[in-house]
Amino acid sequence: MSVRRQRPPSNPTGQAAVPLPLPWNNTRVPCACPTDASMSPDATKPSHWCSVAYWEHRTRVGRLYAVYDQAVSIFYDLPQGSGFCLGQLNLEQRSESVRRTRSKIGFGILLSKEPDGVWAYNRGEHPIFVNSPTLDAPGGRALVVRKVPPGYSIKVFDFERSGLLQHGPEPDAADGPYDPNSVRISFAKGWGPCYSRQFITSCPCWLEILLNNHR
């Protein structure tokens, strides 16, 4: 799985263009807290396709963020913006490494559900590192972590391959319970066999994407 150069709103699969909620030229757009459709008694709340958890090392910070739209922006701190604003998540004590890494999140990522899978677009100025069951080598036991440079995108979860993996043996998961429907994304810091951090729980700031429609 290779990474691709990020491009304007155009479906990575080559199909019809899919409008995305955020501009691609890093224009600053409103920082808003997540809205809750349940606040309206007459609203019919649609099913979310994924939930996002934000972690600092082994500590989950904030609540699960449910995603209903086809695409969601996950970023640190913009004067204006919409999506999951990590800068608003407070924690009483943070290590210096966490503070430094949080300052590098910037515009963060755009997570998009496409017909062929879930794509992550790196909109920040630092690389992101990703892992999912569909990125690992077939039949391999070694963890595969992909580095995605700024301005590039990668299909972090392949729907077709996920269906094939459901019938295979469950691989070893040394850094926690194995979830065949999850994606892990670390900001600025890599982990795994090629890095000094062996487990993602050693990374200062990372995301856990829990896919709902494939459970």
Side-chain angles (χ1 to χ4, degrees):
M1 170 67 66
S2 60
V3 297
R4 297 182 181 178
R5 183 68 183 176
Q6 181 173 314
R7 45 185 181 175
S10 150
N11 192 315
T13 64
Q15 299 181 15
V18 179
L20 297 178
L22 292 176
W24 289 76
N25 58 358
N26 283 347
T27 302
R28 297 176 182 265
V29 284
C31 189
C33 294
T35 57
D36 188 353
S38 65
M39 294 177 64
S40 173
D42 299 324
T44 302
K45 198 169 184 178
S47 175
H48 62 285
W49 63 270
C50 81
S51 297
V52 182
Y54 169 65
W55 295 77
E56 293 177 358
H57 294 296
R58 293 180 175 272
T59 302
R60 200 183 88 188
V61 183
R63 63 180 178 83
L64 284 175
Y65 184 92
V67 179
Y68 298 90
D69 294 332
Q70 180 181 344
V72 61
S73 181
I74 304 171
F75 52 91
Y76 177 65
D77 189 16
L78 299 178
Q80 304 170 345
S82 63
F84 190 8
C85 187
L86 303 180
Q88 295 181 339
L89 301 180
N90 298 318
L91 193 64
E92 288 186 5
Q93 294 183 342
R94 281 190 167 105
S95 67
E96 184 59 30
S97 66
V98 169
R99 283 200 274 277
R100 284 197 305 267
T101 305
R102 278 172 63 84
S103 70
K104 296 178 180 179
I105 294 174
F107 289 100
I109 67 170
L110 186 71
L111 197 68
S112 177
K113 182 183 180 183
E114 306 290 349
D116 63 337
V118 178
W119 286 74
Y121 304 81
N122 186 358
R123 302 180 69 240
E125 297 180 354
H126 299 271
I128 60 173
F129 298 83
V130 304
N131 167 260
S132 81
T134 65
L135 287 176
D136 288 338
R141 302 183 66 86
L143 179 74
V144 175
V145 176
R146 305 288 185 184
K147 179 180 180 180
V148 185
Y152 283 75
S153 64
I154 186 173
K155 182 162 60 174
V156 294
F157 195 88
D158 186 295
F159 293 152
E160 182 178 359
R161 185 158 184 234
S162 173
L164 298 175
L165 292 175
Q166 300 291 341
H167 304 289
E170 184 174 303
D172 296 331
D175 58 344
Y178 173 75
D179 188 341
N181 300 295
S182 70
V183 178
R184 294 175 173 184
I185 302 176
S186 174
F187 292 103
K189 305 295 183 182
W191 82 99
C194 299
Y195 300 91
S196 60
R197 300 170 185 83
Q198 294 300 296
F199 310 118
I200 195 168
T201 49
S202 299
C203 294
C205 305
W206 57 283
L207 302 172
E208 186 176 26
I209 315 299
L210 304 170
L211 301 176
N212 183 47
N213 293 355
H214 288 266
R215 295 182 182 275

